[in-house]
Amino acid sequence: MHNDEPYCIDPELWKTIGEDMHLTKKCSGIPAHFGYNIRPINDHCHHFKAEEWKNWSLRYSPIYFEGVLPEPYYSEYVSLVHTVIKATSYTISPDDIKYVCITFPQSSHLYLYN
């Protein structure tokens, strides 16, 4: 499914992602219903607070990584994000628990062990 070499996003791609985030914020940003606009990741990630990391990880990164992360990394990443969202919901059903227990180990190996 993947080789043993970790995949790294080129620094220029991080810059492009950050510029797009800046433009989004400059053009009235995202609707308040979805949360507040976070600072561009390329310039401010070292100063992100927990809420910004949560928003980046669970909301923005799947959008910005589409077309950037090659397969199978992108699909696995989105599966991991989906699993974390289910696992951290305010309510979780028995089916959600089963889903998390099955999916998390399958999705996390690419990110936790490389």
Side-chain angles (χ1 to χ4, degrees):
M1 186 173 210
H2 69 93
N3 61 27
D4 291 334
E5 291 293 316
Y7 179 78
C8 295
I9 296 175
D10 185 282
E12 285 301 311
L13 284 171
W14 282 115
K15 183 178 176 185
T16 301
I17 290 169
E19 289 168 354
D20 188 67
M21 291 174 78
H22 179 72
L23 283 174
T24 300
K25 188 172 186 175
K26 190 175 178 180
C27 297
S28 353
I30 61 168
H33 177 72
F34 296 109
Y36 65 92
N37 289 292
I38 62 173
R39 298 172 284 178
I41 193 161
N42 65 318
D43 290 332
H44 301 282
C45 66
H46 294 69
H47 305 287
F48 273 14
K49 304 276 191 261
E51 183 71 16
E52 286 173 300
W53 277 117
K54 178 183 174 189
N55 284 333
W56 164 256
S57 299
L58 303 180
R59 292 184 177 162
Y60 298 110
S61 65
I63 296 165
Y64 285 112
F65 287 166
E66 185 175 17
V68 171
L69 289 179
E71 289 298 338
Y73 294 99
Y74 180 72
S75 294
E76 292 279 343
Y77 183 75
V78 171
S79 179
L80 178 63
V81 168
H82 212 282
T83 304
V84 170
I85 290 169
K86 280 188 179 286
T88 58
S89 295
Y90 290 110
T91 60
I92 186 165
S93 71
D95 287 340
D96 289 340
I97 293 170
K98 286 179 193 172
Y99 176 87
V100 169
C101 289
I102 293 168
T103 308
F104 184 76
Q106 294 173 355
S107 300
S108 63
H109 74 277
L110 290 177
Y111 306 99
L112 298 176
Y113 303 117
N114 277 333

